[in-house]
Amino acid sequence: DQQVKQNSPSLSVQEGRISILNCDYTNSMFDYFLWYKKYPAEGPTFLISISSIKDKNEDGRFTVFLNKSAKHLSLHIVPSQPGDSAVYFCAASANTGNQFYFGTGTSLTVIP
Amino acid sequence: DAEITQSPRHKITETGRQVTLACHQTWNHNNMFWYRQDLGHGLRLIHYSYGVQDTNKGEVSDGYSVSRSNTEDLPLTLESAASSQTSVYFCASSDPGQRLFFGEGSRLTVL
């Protein structure tokens, strides 16, 4: 049973506009969330994270929002650039284990 | 620079053969993980280790084993390869801040 879900397999956005990638989770014990970016034939690379004590974390063009009551997080990329075209995975872990559970990924295409 | 490397990057084998995928990290991280990536499933945890001599099963551990004899290496062994184990395998280690650092992946094809 998938504990972390990304319901949109793909997303296309015009360059300069905002990209919003969504992620839902079912396990209320999750307290740490991460986003990873993956280019073809490469390993995923860490992008941004957020702890459950926060509802927002920002790093340059990337902002992650966490809504604990809805068990939902989102990644905003503003402005989107063609180099952002990649597959984005969200992941979650509970403090007890350092085990990370990943979503199925969303393929973002930024159109020049 | 510290890094994590996997070998081989590509492997073709036959059903029933034993296969070992190597993973080596130079960050001195205690925590190491093996994931497989399949379409429609994302990244799924196979095995993980919190330190030397420690190994634990993940959500898809059947048919796989790992060993941790030192901090740097976590080899993944498929005892008897099956076609269902055709996948891309990623090794990772995590820092004290709980960020995972991934290798470049090993693509395994079982014929």
Side-chain angles (χ1 to χ4, degrees), chain A residues 2 32 34 36 38 41-44 46 89 93-95 97-104, chain B residues 9 31 33 35 37 40-43 45 48 50 59 90 94 97-100 102-104:
Chain A
Q2 196 83 18
Y32 187 62
L34 310 93
Y36 282 82
K38 185 183 179 306
E42 293 184 11
F46 171 79
F89 291 98
S93 72
N95 194 38
N98 264 312
Q99 296 174 52
F100 299 87
Y101 295 87
F102 283 80
T104 51
Chain B
R9 296 290 313 278
N31 300 341
F33 308 82
Y35 288 87
Q37 184 193 5
H41 291 280
L43 290 156
L45 183 63
Y48 58 101
Y50 291 150
E59 53 187 319
F90 290 99
S94 67
Q98 285 192 283
R99 294 177 303 173
L100 278 173
F102 285 88
E104 294 193 327

